[in-house]
Amino acid sequence: MPTPRVILSEAMALEVGGKEPWPSDVKLYQPYEVEQILLPDNANCLATQAFLKMSKLQYTVEPRSNAEFMSPSGKVPFIQCGAFVVSELEPIVSFVASKGVSLTNDLDNGEKADMRAYMSLISNVLATAELFITWCDAQTYKQVTKPRYGSVFPWPLNHLLCWQKRSSVTKRLHVLGWANKTLDDVFHEVDQCCQALSERLGPKNYFFGDKPTELDALVFGHLFTVLTTPLPNNKLAATIRGYRTLVDLCKRIEHEYFELPTST
Amino acid sequence: MGTVQAKEAPRNPIDISGLNNRRSENSPKADSKKNAPSNKQAQPTYPAAKFKTVRARVDKVNIEGLSRTKDDIIIESIQPLFSAGDFVEVLKQAHEIRERLVGLGCFNNVRIYIDTSSGKAATPDGLEVTFHVSEMRRLTGAINTLFGSNNEGSVALSMRLPNLMGRGERIQAECSYGNRRTSNYNFGFVKPLRGRSNAFFTTSVFQHFTEQPASGYKEIDRGLLFDLAFTSAPLVRHNLQWETTWRDLSVLNRTTAFEIREMSGPSLKGSLRHILSVDRRDQAIFPRSGTLWRITTEYAGIGGNVNFLKNEAQFQANIPLSNDVVFQATLHGGMLKSIGNTKPPSLCDHFFLGGPLSLRGFESRGVGPQAGRNALGASTYWAGGLHLYSPLPFIKPGGFADLFRAHLFLNAGNIGNFEFTDDYNHNLEVLGQNMRLAYGLGIAMKLGDIARVELNYCLPHMYQRTDAINKGLQFGIGFDFL
C-alpha cells in the first residue's frame, strides 16, 4: 500500500520529471505487428506513432508479446520515458505537452474544444466499431482475431486468454450499447462518423489548416489501419474509401511522416 | 506454488498442497494396556525387558464401529498383527496400525484394547486385539489458522467429504485469506492407495493469489496438481507431482521497477516435481535431536512456455548438548537453470533471500539483485544457520515455560546469478563472495504444534550497500525457519 507520503512524492517526481527535455531513449511498446497485433490496437499504436512523428520527437518501437500486460492501463501502446510509463494517446499527448511540446499552440480555445469533440467521436465510434468487428463478428473472430491473439501463448492459454479478452470486450460493448448491433448498423455508424469528419476536413490539408494536430494523428491511425488490414469482411474499408478527402489525408500523412511503401 | 503451509490438522497427514507432509506425532493416549509413553518423546517406549520374553500370538482381531468403511482395506491394514511373535511386537504393530487407520482420514478416533483370547479356538499365548473406531460424519467442516512462509497468518475455511466410497477417499474444498491479502482456493480429491508404502494419490485444482510488495508484483496462479505421496523406507517420504499452472504476474503499483513490469503477463508452467523428505527429528517444532533432509527437484517444460530445472535442498541437524540445550545447524541451497535457448525463467520462479524466516537480520527478500527498490531474485542461493536453543533462564521449567526457548543464532547466506565453471575452488569462491552474515538473540515460542513465533534482536554483520537490512527487533511467524 502506498502511503500518502509516497503518492505526494510521486506527484512531485512527475512535476519535476516533466520539466526535463525529451530524452533520446524513449521507447514505445506495442505488440508484434506481423503476427500478433489486432486492428484496434494497431490503430492506437499507429496514431500514437503519428503523433510522436508529427511532434518531431524521437522514439524507438519495442515490440513485446506481453505489451498489453506491461501497460499500466492494460492498453497499448505505452511509452517509457525515463522513469515514466504513460499509456494511450491522450495521456501521452498531455505528457508531451508537459515537456513543452504541443501541436495545438496555434489553435484558439474554440478550435481546441472542437478538436477534442472530434477525437472523442473517433474513440466512441471508429474505435468501438473496430472492437466490434474484431471480437464480435464471428467470421473475423475465428479467422483473424483468435489465431493472432493466441499466437504468443501456449495451448491451452491461447484459447483461455482469447475467451477472457473477448468477454471483457463484449462487456464493454454492452455498456456502450453496441452489443446488440448488427454489422450493418456498425457500418452505418462508421459512415456517419466519416461523413462528419470529411465535412470538418473540407478541402484543407489537415483538420486545422496546414499543420497537423493530434486529431489528424488519430484519424490517420484508425483510417489507415482499417484501409490496410485485410479482413474477411472488408466492408469497413469500403465504407471509408467512399470518402476521398479522408483517404487523401491518410496518404498525405503517410507520405509526410512514414516513408513506407503504401499498399492501398 | 511457493507457499509451504502448516496447519492444525493432526488427522490429515497429506496437505493438499502436497508440499508438506507432517507425520502425526501424537502418541496414543487412550491405550489402557500400554505403559504410558514418556511424554517427552513421540515414539512410545516399552519396558522391553519385561515383555520381550512374553510370547504372544494374535488369535483374533475385532474391529468395532465400522459402518461405511469397506472391510478389505481394514483387513489389509491389520494383516501384520498376525505375524507378531511376542508381546512387544504386538504392541508395536498395534500402534502402527492405529497410525495407519488414523492416517486414512476416515476415523475420528481409534482406540486399541488387548486382551487374552478366550473361547474354543484360543491358543495358550493367544491374544485378542480390538480396535474401537468411530467413523467421521459424511460432511465435516472446519475453520483453521494457517501460517505461510511469507510471515503471514491466514484464516482457512474448509469442507470435507471424508471416506466417500468407503476406502478413505475424500473430497475437500478449502479457501483461505491472509492478512497480507493472500488468498487461496483449493478443491481436491484424495485417495489412499493400498500397500505398505502408505501411499496417497491427490488431485487438486487451485487458485492462489499473492502480493509481493518487496518485489513489486502480484501473482495469480491457477492450476492443476496431481500428487503421489508414498514412503519408501521408514520416515523416507516421497512426493511425485505433476503440476500445470497458469501464472499471471502483474505490476503492484506505480513505483514498481520497469524490470518487473517487463516480466508481467501470463505464462504457463507444466512441471514434474519430486520431493524427498527424510524427517528423523523427534518433533517438528523445537526438535531436540535428529536430522531433516528435504530435496526438491523440479523440471518445468512439459507443455507451457516455461522451461527450467530447479533444485533445492534443505538440511537440519539437531544435537542435544545437555538435557535442555540444543545445538542446531541448518543449510539451505538452491539452483535454477534455464533449459535450452528459451526465455529465462520468470520472476516467480526465482529464489529470494532475506526475512525473519529466511536470513534473519535482513528485510523480507532484502538480499540480492534489485531493480529500483524491488527484489528481482536470482538463480542460485545458499543460506546456513547455527542456533543454540535453551529454556528461558531464571524461569522454572515446566508448564507454560516449556512453550518458550531462548535462541542464539548466527546465520549467513548469499544469492546471485552466479556463473559456475568446472573449477571447484573457483565455484566456492564465487559462492562466498559478498556473503551476508547476521547474528543475534531472541525468544522463540511454540504455537500449538503448528507454528513457531520468533522475536529476535538482529545485528547484521556483513552486508552489501543495496541490501535492506533489519537491525534491531525482527518478528517472525511461520513453520519452516532457516
Side-chain angles (χ1 to χ4, degrees), chain A residues 146 150 153-163, chain B residues 244 246 268 303-304:
Chain A
K146 213 174 161 194
F153 305 115
W155 183 91
L157 274 195
N158 51 357
H159 297 286
L160 210 64
L161 290 168
C162 209
W163 170 81
Chain B
T244 300
W246 161 25
L268 186 75

Side-chain angles (χ1 to χ4, degrees), chain B residues 189-444:
Chain B
F189 174 76
V190 183
K191 179 169 171 54
L193 303 180
R194 289 167 156 207
R196 296 222 66 182
S197 57
N198 201 12
F200 280 85
F201 179 72
T202 308
T203 318
S204 60
V205 188
F206 60 86
Q207 173 179 316
H208 303 309
F209 172 80
T210 41
E211 272 186 12
Q212 301 289 359
S215 290
Y217 70 87
K218 54 191 172 191
E219 181 183 352
I220 299 180
D221 288 2
R222 298 182 178 98
L224 184 67
L225 176 80
F226 296 98
D227 173 275
L228 178 70
F230 60 94
T231 309
S232 68
L235 305 180
V236 180
R237 192 80 182 154
H238 299 263
N239 284 78
L240 270 177
Q241 302 180 330
W242 179 47
E243 186 191 320
T244 300
T245 314
W246 161 25
R247 292 111 40 104
D248 207 343
L249 244 67
S250 48
V251 166
L252 193 59
N253 55 37
R254 282 183 42 196
T255 51
T256 300
F258 197 80
E259 285 82 349
I260 306 278
R261 190 179 286 280
E262 275 184 306
M263 289 192 245
S264 53
S267 64
L268 186 75
K269 179 182 86 171
S271 69
L272 271 181
R273 196 187 294 123
H274 176 243
I275 304 166
L276 169 72
S277 56
V278 186
D279 190 352
R280 298 186 193 277
R281 297 176 299 175
D282 56 348
Q283 53 192 10
I285 313 273
F286 299 146
R288 286 158 192 278
S289 64
T291 54
L292 166 75
W293 279 99
R294 187 175 296 136
I295 298 169
T296 312
T297 311
E298 182 176 9
Y299 167 75
I302 300 160
N305 56 354
V306 179
N307 292 281
F308 63 76
L309 184 69
K310 193 174 183 178
N311 289 295
E312 198 172 3
Q314 291 181 18
F315 173 69
Q316 186 191 91
N318 299 286
I319 301 156
L321 293 182
S322 75
N323 216 2
D324 296 316
V325 182
V326 178
F327 172 75
Q328 185 186 63
T330 54
L331 187 63
H332 295 194
M335 258 180 103
L336 173 72
K337 267 186 188 167
S338 54
I339 299 170
N341 47 8
T342 49
K343 70 173 187 183
S346 162
L347 197 64
C348 50
D349 299 313
H350 284 172
F351 293 113
F352 295 89
L353 192 62
L357 277 70
S358 162
L359 197 65
R360 296 170 184 84
F362 293 86
E363 296 287 351
S364 191
R365 298 191 166 195
V367 184
Q370 288 183 336
R373 301 182 76 183
N374 297 133
L376 287 174
S379 62
T380 311
Y381 88 98
W382 68 267
L386 303 173
H387 304 258
L388 207 60
Y389 294 98
S390 78
L392 289 185
F394 319 119
I395 293 177
K396 212 166 67 178
F400 190 62
D402 275 354
L403 296 177
F404 293 90
R405 292 283 185 283
H407 173 211
L408 209 65
F409 70 90
L410 171 100
N411 58 18
N414 201 359
I415 183 167
N417 297 308
F418 303 128
E419 297 284 339
F420 293 111
T421 59
D422 290 335
D423 183 6
Y424 185 72
N425 288 330
H426 167 80
N427 290 350
L428 273 184
E429 198 178 300
V430 164
L431 282 175
Q433 231 163 36
N434 302 331
M435 181 179 87
R436 276 72 159 186
L437 193 143
Y439 55 88
L441 78 170
I443 296 171

Side-chain angles (χ1 to χ4, degrees), chain A residues 80-100:
Chain A
Q80 184 205 4
C81 175
F84 301 101
V85 181
V86 189
S87 69
E88 296 178 75
L89 180 62
E90 277 178 52
I92 290 174
V93 170
S94 20
F95 179 73
V96 166
S98 77
K99 304 256 181 205

